[in-house]
Amino acid sequence: MELSILTYDPMLIPYREHLERRMVRYEQRRRDLVGDGSLCDFANGHEFFGFHRTADGWVYREWAPGADAVYLVGDMNAWDTLSLPLTPLGNGVFEIYLSGYDALYDGCHVKVMVQNQGRWLSRIPLYIRRVEQDPVTFGWCGVITDEPPHRWRCRHVRPQKSLLIYECHVGMAQEKEGVGTYEEFRTGVLPRIRDLGYNAIQLMAIMEHPYYGSFGYQVSSFFASSSRFGTPNELKALIDEAHSMGIAVLLDVVHSHAASNTEEGIAEFDGTPYQFFHEGERGTHPTWGTRLFDYGKHEVVHFLLSNLKYWMEEFCFDGFRFDGVTSMLYRDHGLGVSFGDYGLYFSDNTDEDAVTYLQLANALIREVYPHAVTVAEDMSAMPGMCIPIAEGGIGFDYRLAMGIPDLWIRLLRTKRDEEWSMWQIYGELSGRRPHEPYVGYAESHDQALVGDKTLMFRLCDSEMYTAMARNVKSLIIDRGMALHNMLRLISLTLGGEAYLNFMGNEFGHPEWIDFPREGNGWSHFYCRRQWHLADNGYLRYGLLRDFDKAMLALVKRTHLLGRTPHALAIDEEKQVLIYERGGVVFAFNFSPTNSYEAYEVTFPSSGKYRVTLSTDEGCFGGFDRVDTAYVYTARKYADGQYHAPIYLPARTAVCLQRERPRKR
């Protein structure tokens, strides 16, 4: 068996047998599921199960292999438990036909009563497409949706090669103290994202979840878009609007685990713990308390693959960010494991069924939409995560560079600015598995949660409350502004082949995210985005936002994310780091005190170079110490390389580009 992955990373050669088994398992599982057919034709559970209109009424089907009997209840039968029994068809499938066009209707509340060994269990239908919480009882209930079809203007956008992702949470994207809506996001936030220059959004918390504070990561109803934010059609309008702006839309999909709630979710739907999940300890995440899927069951794979196809076809998502991949891959969920030894990836601890499922998921997604993008949240660096399946990989397009934000937090917490190592920074930002693209980022939503601190808040702390006005002088804020710009720029231009930012972090949003809970009096004060801080023109937040926009424009103009970075200078003593990527030379001086009048820089070719972006520009909160009109001339020296001395102020990064000769 030819495996290109072994040529990309020769350190994997001792594990050839494991990688070959990976491919044999994938091919065998695919044959078992679809034979010679396609995964796209297989993943149609949502078209068979659930509620569907017929020529003369409705049909409802459910999969409940452990149930003795199943009954439909709701507004349409005054919640009479026994009046609408489903007929068993075999293999755990139950079905009922309801005659009459109005037998069910838009907004009709429904549930299902499952009888299991003498017990009556109240459940929400597995494939329901809308779920609502009663404001009085706080109980959750399925809701029939019969909206007119959304008329798409632009069903899909082909994600760009240089992917610039804006990570979003619709419910907390508004300024008001409350839950935001799809409509508010469409009209108020999408224009901001477009104007900043991001070409993709990643929508969190879309799949329905009973606990708002879970950030959407404890999913209860996998086929329902969260009703907190509006209707399915309003979500489609949001996605359609993004597409019209040229913005691709990724769903933050949660197939790594599910909410443990039984009355609100899929856990023990049929009265058994093993319908979807492993039994015993293996079926519950020790930290999250959530239920863990058994990826070895065909029915579970059918459910999850159908879920992916549903979100792509019904809502026209252009791809997915897969949450919790590390938890899926290992029986111990990677908790407390450093993964310094290749053998840890191929031990008995690896859940090979999960690996195979992720391969099947990526294969299906490309069948549904060949240009779709998939991103893996894997902190273990599993080899082959972003290698094509045919070459021995798992098939993702990108993996998150999760070590970068950890690096910045570690440096800020444990090292004085004078102690930062340039070799460490360059090594951790540029070191990635060969042939595997990464999404670089300085911080995500994880760093913004209550109990932690955003990057800007960690830099400036309480000084942000008193000294962010543009006319107030503060050494702490000056340092914070300079480093915030530098860390974002280096994370973008060195940390990966794509980039991610959580909404509001582009302007250094202060404070943390604290979802409404009993401990804070159910307040939404910290569960929103204070856009006015960057808009009012009096505070420095707007300067940070403007730098974000400028650095994205540079990356888009030069297409540098598609190129390989090359180190030009790593100077530990002077704390200078210089590299070239895509024809742009990036020079970082991390020294907090030392400016260099004539720092000798190696350039990729001779010619005249100008500073096209500086973190020290006054319009970005700096001191305008760099003359962007000055021309540096790189000449060939005796060593055969091209050099020029440049001015490099303390705590400053500059981007230099070669001037093109004028046409005569």
Side-chain angles (χ1 to χ4, degrees):
M1 181 182 294
E2 290 294 326
L3 295 175
S4 298
I5 188 174
L6 298 176
T7 63
Y8 301 152
D9 187 354
M11 291 180 66
L12 288 171
I13 291 175
Y15 305 98
R16 173 189 290 272
E17 181 180 340
H18 295 271
L19 291 166
E20 289 177 343
R21 186 166 73 237
R22 173 190 288 181
M23 298 309 301
V24 169
R25 287 177 61 86
Y26 167 72
E27 295 294 346
Q28 183 61 55
R29 192 71 185 279
R30 182 167 180 145
R31 282 194 298 272
D32 291 345
L33 294 173
V34 303
D36 295 328
S38 71
L39 289 169
C40 193
D41 291 337
F42 167 76
N44 287 328
H46 55 292
E47 296 179 7
F48 179 79
F49 293 108
F51 295 89
H52 301 279
R53 274 202 175 278
T54 65
D56 58 351
W58 292 78
V59 62
Y60 166 53
R61 300 186 187 94
E62 200 60 89
W63 177 60
D68 299 320
V70 178
Y71 298 84
L72 178 63
V73 298
D75 294 338
M76 68 287 173
N77 72 340
W79 300 90
D80 183 346
T81 301
L82 300 177
S83 66
L84 295 175
L86 276 67
T87 301
L89 302 180
N91 297 319
V93 178
F94 293 80
E95 176 185 83
I96 186 173
Y97 280 90
L98 303 173
S99 61
Y101 184 85
D102 295 326
L104 295 174
Y105 50 88
D106 188 60
C108 178
H109 293 81
V110 295
K111 295 191 84 168
V112 61
M113 298 299 296
V114 174
Q115 195 173 28
N116 172 279
Q117 297 183 357
R119 298 178 298 161
W120 285 97
L121 308 173
S122 176
R123 298 289 187 259
I124 291 176
L126 290 176
Y127 287 81
I128 196 73
R129 301 189 179 190
R130 184 170 173 80
V131 180
E132 291 179 354
Q133 186 177 29
D134 188 289
V136 178
T137 66
F138 299 106
W140 289 79
C141 196
V143 182
I144 299 297
T145 57
D146 196 21
E147 297 178 307
H150 176 77
R151 295 185 178 182
W152 292 91
R153 293 175 294 161
C154 185
R155 291 190 62 85
H156 282 289
V157 164
R158 183 171 182 170
Q160 297 184 27
K161 291 291 185 182
S162 297
L163 204 61
L164 304 170
I165 306 169
Y166 199 78
E167 186 183 34
C168 316
H169 185 287
V170 170
M172 57 174 292
Q174 77 303 323
E175 184 121 8
K176 69 183 182 185
E177 294 185 41
V179 178
T181 67
Y182 297 126
E183 181 63 15
E184 289 171 332
F185 189 94
R186 183 182 70 83
T187 59
V189 182
L190 277 179
R192 292 180 179 274
I193 299 170
R194 176 200 58 204
D195 294 344
L196 283 168
Y198 289 89
N199 55 33
I201 58 175
Q202 176 182 303
L203 293 180
M204 309 168 62
I206 295 300
M207 303 166 76
E208 191 59 271
H209 48 289
Y211 178 45
Y212 192 41
S214 75
F215 234 137
Y217 291 122
Q218 294 183 12
V219 174
S220 52
S221 295
F222 282 73
F223 291 83
S225 58
S226 181
S227 61
R228 289 184 179 91
F229 314 139
T231 68
N233 269 359
E234 288 169 340
L235 173 58
K236 293 173 186 177
L238 183 166
I239 296 170
D240 205 359
E241 183 76 6
H243 288 167
S244 73
M245 296 177 176
I247 297 173
V249 186
L250 311 182
L251 175 66
D252 197 350
V253 70
V254 186
H255 282 183
S256 48
H257 58 135
S260 59
N261 310 46
T262 54
E263 292 197 19
E264 295 94 349
I266 67 172
E268 300 185 27
F269 177 84
D270 67 351
T272 68
Y274 49 80
Q275 181 180 3
F276 288 99
F277 310 112
H278 290 289
E279 290 189 86
E281 289 186 8
R282 193 178 174 191
T284 302
H285 196 286
T287 302
W288 302 334
T290 47
R291 302 305 309 276
L292 301 173
F293 288 104
D294 182 352
Y295 303 104
K297 293 183 69 171
H298 288 356
E299 296 88 350
V300 171
V301 171
H302 182 243
F303 178 83
L304 295 175
L305 292 182
S306 299
N307 190 236
L308 295 172
K309 182 179 177 182
Y310 165 76
W311 288 110
M312 295 183 76
E313 292 195 336
E314 184 70 20
F315 289 90
C316 295
F317 280 98
D318 304 300
F320 301 93
R321 179 266 203 183
F322 277 71
D323 169 69
V325 169
T326 306
S327 176
M328 300 171 69
L329 292 174
Y330 309 101
R331 292 173 185 252
D332 64 4
H333 315 296
L335 298 173
V337 182
S338 63
F339 292 98
D341 178 358
Y342 269 46
L344 295 173
Y345 299 114
F346 304 105
S347 67
D348 292 339
N349 185 42
T350 301
D351 188 336
E352 293 183 328
D353 288 327
V355 174
T356 303
Y357 167 69
L358 291 171
Q359 290 177 300
L360 292 167
N362 277 295
L364 165 75
I365 289 165
R366 281 13 177 265
E367 285 187 22
V368 176
Y369 181 47
H371 304 302
V373 164
T374 58
V375 180
E377 188 214 24
D378 171 35
M379 60 195 307
S380 76
M382 165 67 80
M385 184 64 67
C386 302
I387 299 293
I389 297 170
E391 298 178 10
I394 299 176
F396 284 92
D397 292 293
Y398 300 94
R399 68 192 324 151
L400 288 175
M402 302 181 72
I404 297 177
D406 291 342
L407 169 66
W408 300 139
I409 293 171
R410 194 162 63 249
L411 288 177
L412 290 169
R413 290 181 61 183
T414 65
K415 300 287 186 181
R416 293 183 300 114
D417 294 1
E418 295 86 349
E419 298 174 333
W420 287 22
S421 165
M422 300 301 99
W423 279 104
Q424 180 186 18
I425 291 173
Y426 187 82
E428 294 211 26
L429 266 68
S430 64
R432 28 195 185 267
R433 293 205 178 281
H435 293 263
E436 298 205 43
Y438 280 60
V439 178
Y441 61 108
E443 55 183 334
S444 69
H445 68 270
D446 292 326
Q447 288 75 44
L449 289 169
V450 65
D452 205 338
K453 295 179 180 179
T454 63
L455 192 55
M456 189 61 180
F457 204 51
R458 190 173 291 279
L459 285 164
C460 302
D461 247 327
S462 60
E463 194 87 355
M464 293 186 75
Y465 295 116
T466 58
M468 281 298 282
R470 300 188 188 188
N471 61 353
V472 173
K473 295 186 182 300
S474 167
L475 293 177
I476 291 175
I477 297 298
D478 290 342
R479 170 183 178 265
M481 296 286 291
L483 285 176
H484 198 268
N485 286 343
M486 293 177 72
L487 298 188
R488 282 182 291 154
L489 180 63
I490 197 170
S491 298
L492 166 62
T493 59
L494 184 60
E497 289 66 39
Y499 181 69
L500 177 141
N501 169 66
F502 179 66
M503 62 179 190
N505 285 351
E506 73 278 1
F507 65 84
H509 197 289
E511 301 168 334
W512 48 76
I513 300 165
D514 191 9
F515 282 86
R517 55 187 173 85
E518 186 176 3
N520 64 17
W522 303 104
S523 170
H524 286 82
F525 184 80
Y526 294 108
C527 197
R528 59 195 177 106
R529 298 285 88 179
Q530 300 181 60
W531 304 106
H532 76 277
L533 296 174
D535 294 343
N536 62 26
Y538 303 112
L539 303 174
R540 302 196 212 193
Y541 297 101
L543 307 179
L544 294 173
R545 177 198 59 197
D546 292 344
F547 179 76
D548 207 78
K549 184 175 181 178
M551 72 176 191
L552 294 187
L554 170 70
V555 165
K556 294 168 78 172
R557 186 172 66 248
T558 58
H559 306 287
L560 63 87
L561 291 184
R563 308 291 291 276
T564 301
H566 301 283
L568 300 176
I570 302 177
D571 189 334
E572 285 283 66
E573 181 182 354
K574 294 185 176 179
Q575 288 190 288
V576 171
L577 173 57
I578 304 175
Y579 55 92
E580 178 272 335
R581 192 174 189 185
V584 183
V585 174
F586 297 90
F588 286 78
N589 179 7
F590 280 98
S591 172
T593 55
N594 298 324
S595 297
Y596 306 109
E597 292 289 338
Y599 194 92
E600 200 72 26
V601 173
T602 302
F603 287 89
S605 63
S606 65
K608 299 182 183 299
Y609 288 81
R610 287 184 186 270
V611 172
T612 54
L613 181 65
S614 165
T615 60
D616 192 54
E617 292 181 53
C619 59
F620 304 138
F623 297 98
D624 278 325
R625 291 171 292 175
V626 176
D627 184 357
T628 56
Y630 188 82
V631 177
Y632 297 99
T633 302
R635 295 184 174 89
K636 192 173 185 178
Y637 279 54
D639 61 2
Q641 296 184 319
Y642 306 97
H643 301 274
I646 72 167
Y647 176 50
L648 198 52
R651 278 205 189 110
T652 297
V654 296
C655 310
L656 299 112
Q657 290 179 264
R658 188 173 182 270
E659 287 190 334
R660 293 181 179 180
R662 294 181 179 179
K663 294 182 179 180
R664 295 182 178 180

